[in-house]
Amino acid sequence: MERETTKKRFWNPFDNLQGDKVIWMIVLLLMLISVVTVFTSTPLLALQKHTTRFAIIKEHLMYVGLGLGLIILLYNFKNIKIFKFLSKYGFALSLFLLLFVVFRIGRNTSWPIRAAEVNNSWRLIVLFGKQIHVYEIVKVAMVMYLAWAVNAMKEDSFHLLPRLHKLIPSWNWLDNTLTKKIFYIYLPILLTSFLMLDGGTSATALFMMMMFIILFVGGVDLKEIFGLLVIMALYVGMVLLIYKTTGFSMSDRITNISLESRTGSTSAKLEKVMEAKPSERRAVIDDLKLEQPVGALLAIKEGGVFGKGIGRSNQKYKVAVIFEDYIFSFIVEETGWWGALIIILLYLSLLGRGSMIAPLCDDYFAKFAMSGLILLISMQAFMHIAINVHLLPQTGQTLPMISHGSSSFLCFSIAFGIILSISRMAKSKMDQVTKQAAPLIERDDEVKERMGDLDQLESL
């Protein structure tokens, strides 16, 4: 009796969780994996910062705790109107942050808030000494804004254009559905993408692809999305043409598309390394001056099926940002393809669970926000994996909730908090669906009852 009471008390907090328990389990597992991988993958970072891995993991644990706090805070929001109200300012927030970075406000000053550069790319804002990755905030903010805009389009609840139409009644095009879509949905995406180009063309292309897939899932006409892609392609082509003919460009990263076919040269370099004797590989690597992508591929190659074991990675001493942009390669090197399979299954499970919950949301905004955030997290995860195995160009995509990085971790914590809050609102419907579904395994009493009926039938 005493044991049963203790067990009940221990599991009570988990039993009382009203959000989706599968998503809770996924996010907690990702956080645990993050703690282990950040601790074992950061010796090079510790050397660069003249500190220890224990100091780094202590800071990371602080962000993990803060992220979990944000998740719990947002999870406890019981009214979707709060998210809906805040989401309509998502584009304004994105625009402000991107303009702040594009115009390099506060650079070369000691201001408490200023734009900052990382890897020859202006993507950061330094706030009281802490680096904030602008693009990570923009991704989540724009997904929530699109959820609000698509919902407002469906409900025809926009205010600005109708008011302008009343002031100028002869301009009937202001009250047109297509005008509203362009003004509230397509223009914000194009403007945001245009400002992101200064930080890298490849990253912008992947951002646009995410936004368009989310819009497509939300039911926006595919022809209109294709039209936007054509406009963006023409713009990029024009920038490249101006650069080629005049030599002028806003930023080296705009013209550095990073989509050129580097796979052949990278594969050739990797082949030379693998052909060398194990004792000579280090000299070959230094001689070839291998870039980070090659180091990441080498980590995957050396990891094999079963991996080298926790803490035995060699590439963590050579690949500068293996704890961020190439954490998947690091996981494969230490745990092998079994560890990689677990990571992939976690994100696939998240995608599958989201596809089950989203249709059960009564509110269209909640449905779109759930779908958009789930797609954002899972798509970024698979893009990160694709970049690590050299299927996509290097764009600095982190692995959500696993990679080291405070901004990314906290932004995805906010995304998970909103997802869990919406799943909590949809829980009653989920329970109904679960009750109506036939059990996969029949209970013993039901089997015995049926066996008894069969015995009676045979005795007749």
Side-chain angles (χ1 to χ4, degrees), residues 20-259:
D20 187 77
K21 291 183 176 62
V22 175
I23 296 179
W24 268 113
M25 184 173 67
I26 290 168
V27 70
L28 291 174
L29 281 172
L30 291 174
M31 284 180 162
L32 286 172
I33 293 169
S34 176
V35 171
V36 176
T37 53
V38 167
F39 178 70
T40 55
S41 66
T42 50
L44 190 58
L45 180 65
L47 288 171
Q48 290 170 349
K49 291 190 171 183
H50 305 289
T51 183
T52 64
R53 278 191 291 170
F54 288 100
I56 291 171
I57 196 62
K58 184 180 177 182
E59 184 184 25
H60 185 66
L61 282 170
M62 181 186 74
Y63 284 112
V64 169
L66 184 57
L68 187 59
L70 283 170
I71 290 172
I72 293 170
L73 175 68
L74 293 169
Y75 151 79
N76 280 294
F77 284 12
K78 297 179 181 178
N79 195 336
I80 196 69
K81 290 180 180 179
I82 299 172
F83 295 127
K84 197 179 293 186
F85 172 77
L86 294 173
S87 296
K88 67 180 179 180
Y89 300 107
F91 172 57
L93 174 64
S94 302
L95 192 61
F96 171 76
L97 292 174
L98 289 171
L99 287 172
F100 196 95
V101 170
V102 166
F103 288 103
R104 322 288 197 247
I105 295 175
R107 67 173 177 175
N108 302 325
T109 68
S110 56
W111 292 359
I113 177 170
R114 62 187 185 277
E117 186 183 14
V118 58
N119 297 328
N120 298 318
S121 172
W122 289 85
R123 302 184 185 187
L124 299 179
I125 287 178
V126 176
L127 180 64
F128 296 105
K130 296 293 181 182
Q131 291 185 346
I132 299 171
H133 202 303
V134 168
Y135 288 11
E136 299 298 334
I137 299 173
V138 168
K139 289 173 191 174
V140 177
M142 283 302 293
V143 168
M144 295 305 292
Y145 169 79
L146 289 178
W148 169 82
V150 173
N151 179 71
M153 179 66 68
K154 192 177 182 67
E155 296 176 350
D156 196 19
S157 57
F158 293 123
H159 300 296
L160 181 59
L161 288 183
R163 285 174 184 171
L164 285 173
H165 185 234
K166 285 181 180 179
L167 291 172
I168 316 171
S170 59
W171 288 10
N172 292 324
W173 56 272
L174 286 171
D175 203 26
N176 185 281
T177 302
L178 181 59
T179 304
K180 291 176 181 176
K181 283 184 181 179
I182 292 171
F183 186 80
Y184 287 103
I185 298 175
Y186 303 141
L187 197 57
I189 292 176
L190 288 173
L191 189 54
T192 304
S193 302
F194 168 73
L195 293 172
M196 287 180 71
L197 272 172
D198 192 39
T201 311
S202 302
T204 306
L206 291 176
F207 168 78
M208 286 192 72
M209 187 173 74
M210 282 184 190
M211 296 298 107
F212 291 147
I213 290 173
I214 290 167
L215 283 179
F216 177 69
V217 171
V220 176
D221 192 348
L222 187 58
K223 291 179 182 177
E224 295 175 5
I225 294 174
F226 180 74
L228 277 178
L229 285 171
V230 170
I231 293 170
M232 201 62 192
L234 288 172
Y235 166 73
V236 173
M238 182 182 68
V239 170
L240 289 174
L241 182 63
I242 293 170
Y243 174 74
K244 292 293 183 183
T245 54
T246 66
F248 171 79
S249 67
M250 283 173 60
S251 167
D252 292 337
R253 285 202 166 231
I254 291 181
T255 52
N256 182 20
I257 304 293
S258 301
L259 291 173

Side-chain angles (χ1 to χ4, degrees), residues 387-406:
I387 291 164
N388 277 229
V389 298
H390 210 67
L391 292 176
L392 286 175
Q394 183 182 359
T395 58
Q397 300 289 330
T398 58
L399 192 59
M401 302 303 292
I402 292 181
S403 293
H404 178 271
S406 56

